[in-house]
Every structure is written in C-alpha cells, then in structure tokens.
Amino acid sequence: MTKEQLQGVLLVLLSGVTLSTKAILAKLAYRHGADALTVLSLRMFFALPFLLLSAYFAEKKSATRLTQGELVQIALLGVTGYYVSSMLDFLGLMYISAALERLVLFLYPTFVILISAILFRILLRLQHLSALFITYVGMAVVFQQEQALWGGDVRKGGLLVLGCSIGYAAYLVGAGRMIPNVGAQRFNAYSLLSATVIIWLHWLVFGRPLHGLPLPVYGYGFLMATLGTVIPTILLAKGIALVGAGPAAILTSIGPVSTVLLASTLLDEPITTGQALGGVIVLVGVAIITVQR
C-alpha cells in the first residue's frame, strides 16, 4: 500500500467515524427537551454558510450553467434525500437506539440494488439475492434484540428510519444519473440547499422557537452541522480520490461499529450478544452487495 492509499484509507475511516456522531448528538439534544424538527432545523442553520461556500466555488469551477430542468431534478432529489429522509431519521431516533438507527440506515445499498433492478430492469444474480437474504436475517436478529430491550416503540422508530434508508437510496440512484453531467460538488451543494429551504418552511409552519433553548442544544446542533455533516463529506471526497469508490464503500462500514461504541460510551446504551451478532451479519451482507456492485 502506497503512502497516498494509506492516507486515503485513514480519511475514509475518519469520515465514517465523524458521520456516526450525528445520531449520538441528536439523542443528546433530545435529552434537553429538543424535538426532531428543532434539531434538524438547527443542523441546517449552522451548515448553511458551508453549503453556500460550496455552491459558490462549485459554480466558479464549472464551465456550464445548470438548466432549469437540471435545477428542478436536483431540488426534488435533495428534498427526497435530505428533507424527507432526514425528517424520518430524526423522528425515528426518538424511539430507537442510536446503534439500531445506524444499522438500519446502513441497509441503503440493498435498497439501491432493489430500486435499480425495478427501475432499470437489472437482473439480480444469485450472489445479490444471497447477500440480501444474509443482510435482512441479520437485521431481524438486531431488531428482535432491540425490541426486547426497549419495547413496543421500537417498531415505530424502526419503520421511520427504514423509510429514511429507502429515501436516501432513491436519492443515490438519481444522483448517480445526474452527477456525471452536473458535477459532484455542485450537485451536493444545491441538493442540500434545496432541502434546507423546505426544512425551514416546515419549521416556520410547525416548529418551536429556536431562541431560548438550553445552551447544549445549540452546541449539539453546531456539531451535527460540522462534525456530523460537513467534515465527513470533505474527508470522504478526499479519501475516494486516493483509494477509489469501491474500497471507500467497504471502509465506511466502520460507521455502524463506531456508532455502537459511541452510543455505549456516551448514551449508556447496552450491547447484547444478539445485537453484536446480528450487526456483524448485516455488515457482512452489505459488504458483499457493495463488492458485487
């Protein structure tokens, strides 16, 4: 392994670890009385300056302007991937552990495969079907253990986060078609900005005032915007440039592992043998799917 490849591996791993802090920070904010919409609104408020800078530099580097059709498609995908999915995710986190949330989110490559098969009539091979079976068996084991620990609301929270995972997979399928034409940085910036507008409209109609919240909630919101959103994106992009998308996709499997450890340390969430076993099965299944892709 060259020095550049090693550096890329470390960047991708660090990206996975920092991204895994999002659920932990949200759960900590909930302990101070914040709700899902408040936390999500604060996250996007603090992320806005970084998104505007990203969009500015992306436009500066681009030789072409986005068409009206492209802007509409990016906006729709952004609303799907970062508003609908994020809202479902943050709502689900109110009912389930951070560890389960991260594992359910990690199912998104399986949904990318299924959505692609349906929309583009891609034939699934035996390896794909076997990997899907392994993944969902592991998820069933984890879910059963979680329900035994936390009770009936686990089903509600699990379904909400599952909706998030499916929505994010749909976003990725669309992004894969658009990014070669419009550029990754520009697509990412505009899709996030589109979602930010809708999140704030949602907050204006239904949200609680953002002033007068406990001071730690603002700190968690800022950390979610920087440590849990902007920084992982930058690290992952640099890591992919050094090691390639395929190895990077495998390396991001550190995310669920990191979430479990952080949740156990910072949130006092228990780790059972059944959860650990089911989690390993899920990671193996998703890794097989990623390699097949």
Side-chain angles (χ1 to χ4, degrees):
M1 182 180 292
T2 66
K3 182 180 177 181
E4 288 76 15
Q5 288 173 325
L6 178 59
Q7 186 180 27
V9 167
L10 293 175
L11 288 172
V12 174
L13 290 176
L14 188 56
S15 168
V17 172
T18 53
L19 185 62
S20 70
T21 62
K22 179 206 67 176
I24 309 298
L25 294 166
K27 298 284 276 187
L28 289 170
Y30 293 161
R31 291 183 176 182
H32 290 273
D35 58 22
L37 181 56
T38 298
V39 172
L40 184 56
S41 301
L42 283 174
R43 177 196 186 195
M44 302 316 295
F45 173 80
F46 286 119
L48 182 62
F50 302 100
L51 299 178
L52 291 173
L53 281 174
S54 180
Y56 171 76
F57 286 113
E59 283 295 335
K60 198 171 182 181
K61 290 190 297 185
S62 178
T64 59
R65 281 184 170 275
L66 292 172
T67 66
Q68 186 174 1
E70 288 172 335
L71 284 170
V72 170
Q73 290 180 64
I74 291 172
L76 289 174
L77 287 170
V79 169
T80 301
Y82 290 113
Y83 164 63
V84 176
S85 293
S86 294
M87 197 71 240
L88 291 173
D89 183 30
F90 278 70
L91 286 170
L93 271 170
M94 299 180 74
Y95 304 103
I96 61 176
S97 68
L100 178 60
E101 179 261 2
R102 195 69 179 91
L103 273 177
V104 175
L105 282 183
F106 201 63
L107 295 177
Y108 76 86
T110 70
F111 298 128
V112 169
I113 288 286
L114 293 172
I115 292 170
S116 298
I118 294 169
L119 293 182
F120 310 122
R121 298 181 181 180
I122 297 172
L123 185 64
L124 295 180
R125 294 182 291 176
L126 181 60
Q127 296 96 318
H128 291 131
L129 296 174
S130 300
L132 289 171
F133 177 76
I134 291 169
T135 304
Y136 296 142
V137 166
M139 197 67 250
V141 172
V142 176
F143 187 82
Q144 188 274 331
Q145 290 288 309
E146 182 89 3
Q147 199 159 28
L149 283 172
W150 301 100
D153 282 343
V154 169
R155 183 175 300 177
K156 179 179 180 180
L159 287 173
L160 286 166
V161 179
L162 185 66
C164 167
S165 188
I166 295 171
Y168 185 63
Y171 163 81
L172 289 178
V173 171
R177 297 271 164 166
M178 290 206 68
I179 284 175
N181 298 323
V182 304
Q185 184 180 352
R186 187 158 59 163
F187 178 86
N188 190 55
Y190 282 118
S191 61
L192 276 164
L193 285 170
S194 302
T196 300
V197 171
I198 303 302
I199 288 167
W200 284 353
L201 287 174
H202 188 167
W203 171 76
L204 283 172
V205 177
F206 298 104
R208 296 160 51 185
L210 294 182
H211 59 82
L213 296 169
L215 189 59
V217 174
Y218 298 108
Y220 296 137
F222 178 77
L223 287 174
M224 267 189 285
T226 52
L227 186 63
T229 305
V230 176
I231 291 174
T233 303
I234 296 171
L235 293 174
L236 184 60
K238 291 183 178 294
I240 289 174
L242 293 172
V243 299
I250 299 295
L251 290 167
T252 55
S253 61
I254 193 176
V257 178
S258 174
T259 302
V260 169
L261 295 176
L262 287 173
S264 176
T265 304
L266 300 177
L267 302 175
D268 296 322
E269 291 183 0
I271 305 174
T272 68
T273 303
Q275 285 175 312
L277 176 61
V280 169
I281 295 172
V282 170
L283 294 180
V284 169
V286 172
I288 293 171
I289 286 174
T290 305
V291 170
Q292 290 295 324
R293 289 178 61 201

